[in-house]
Amino acid sequence: MSRAVGLGNLRGTEARGSFGAVMLKGGRMQAVVRFELWGPSAAAVEADTLTLMASIGAQEVALRAAGFLKIDQESAAPAEFIAGLNTWRKAIEYALLFEYSYEDTDGADSLIAHIPVDLGLDAVSLPEEGMVLKDHMVRWDTEAAPTLRLTGPAAPRSISALSFVAGAAPTGQVIITRTSEGAPGLPLDHVSFADFLDAITDPAVSPAHDRFTFASVTTWLAEFSSAGDAIELGDWNTDAVTDAYDASILTFPVPVALADASQRLEIAFENPAFDRSAVLYMQAR
């Protein structure tokens, strides 16, 4: 017998990095399990029954950890003699309630990276105007690859990513820059990402105008660590198979201090969009 969990079987949400993209759902199954024990005598059957009950009792903690919410003995009939088989039989029943869980994205095709808003100022004397609401998140794909721009006052401590690549990875460099308004000259190009991180997290020695260039999206994502199981979203490459997005996270050694609105951290793609079928979400936290 099935029983519901929560509201609409919803148990909560689970994040992949800083993306709250996964819904936790579940259900409950109620059942009665019947054991039959056979033996040459009533005493032997009763002894086996006690052994069975002790074994189930010893596993109760493990069973509850596995999802069994209820493990109750319902009945234990007296041993009976089966004349035709010249043997004894005893039945014992346990009532079980098991809760299972699974992950779901509710059929979502994508995440919301920005929301265009029409202000509706369409009077004769005023042109239509609009704005875009967005969090510290961007989506790169074959249509666009906008810069992820983080402006102070803030202290970003990590970048989370969800990535899907249908085949060969897109070509083009990824440029990460720590700069400020009015910074003189060109940014200082570092020979390694580790040197870049050392510079941007140590304002005492940094000119606050630093840059590092990754040869590709692949080498950029190689700096990230896994943030959990992949999640399924839409079908960007239209192959009739739901796309599996890898979840990963890059955590800075210390938060990047952006003291005021003049300071910013930017992650940009070399080209206006991807040249191959792929999607990359990035979100700062």
Side-chain angles (χ1 to χ4, degrees):
M1 178 187 299
S2 297
R3 296 176 61 178
V5 172
L7 182 61
N9 286 334
L10 179 64
R11 299 175 60 242
T13 59
E14 183 170 281
R16 293 290 187 272
S18 60
F19 297 101
V22 181
M23 309 296 290
L24 297 179
K25 295 187 175 182
R28 291 181 177 179
M29 297 294 296
Q30 190 172 16
V32 174
V33 177
R34 177 184 175 91
F35 297 93
E36 286 191 355
L37 300 104
W38 299 72
S41 67
V45 170
E46 293 293 349
D48 288 344
T49 301
L50 293 176
T51 299
L52 172 65
M53 294 171 62
S55 177
I56 293 175
Q59 295 297 316
E60 184 172 354
V61 173
L63 290 170
R64 291 192 184 280
F68 287 90
L69 305 181
K70 178 181 178 181
I71 312 168
D72 293 340
Q73 180 185 328
E74 286 282 286
S75 64
E80 58 178 334
F81 181 68
I82 309 299
L85 299 175
N86 193 30
T87 190
W88 289 79
R89 179 182 66 186
K90 181 179 177 67
I92 181 172
E93 294 181 344
Y94 278 84
L96 306 178
L97 179 61
F98 177 74
E99 181 173 295
Y100 61 90
S101 61
Y102 61 95
E103 297 177 352
D104 192 7
T105 56
D106 275 351
D109 288 331
S110 63
L111 303 182
I112 298 175
H114 64 270
I115 305 173
V117 178
D118 181 1
L119 299 180
L121 302 178
D122 55 355
V124 175
S125 59
L126 291 172
E128 284 196 353
E129 297 185 11
M131 61 185 296
V132 175
L133 302 178
K134 57 183 179 180
D135 196 0
H136 295 151
M137 181 169 73
V138 294
R139 170 185 164 124
W140 292 358
D141 54 34
T142 51
E143 296 180 356
T147 297
L148 176 59
R149 184 172 289 108
L150 310 172
T151 304
R157 62 182 182 272
S158 65
I159 305 292
S160 295
L162 289 176
S163 57
F164 165 73
V165 179
T171 58
Q173 298 178 331
V174 176
I175 305 101
I176 180 168
T177 307
R178 163 71 159 82
T179 189
S180 60
E181 295 295 334
L186 296 175
L188 174 63
D189 285 301
H190 291 268
V191 296
S192 71
F193 187 49
D195 287 343
F196 171 81
L197 291 177
D198 287 342
I200 69 172
T201 55
D202 186 358
V205 299
S206 170
H209 199 28
D210 302 85
R211 179 172 62 193
F212 183 75
T213 301
F214 291 89
S216 65
V217 172
T218 301
T219 55
W220 163 236
L221 290 176
E223 298 290 338
F224 288 62
S225 302
S226 174
D229 297 334
I231 66 171
E232 296 184 342
L233 289 170
D235 182 16
W236 182 251
N237 60 331
T238 62
D239 63 351
V241 177
T242 304
D243 301 333
Y245 283 72
D246 292 325
S248 56
I249 187 169
L250 169 64
T251 302
F252 299 125
V254 297
V256 181
L258 304 173
D260 53 52
S262 69
Q263 301 181 355
R264 62 185 184 272
L265 181 69
E266 298 178 344
I267 303 172
F269 189 57
E270 177 185 15
N271 303 317
F274 286 164
D275 58 354
R276 293 169 181 165
S277 184
V279 177
L280 171 62
Y281 291 97
M282 290 184 293
Q283 183 176 47
R285 184 174 183 181

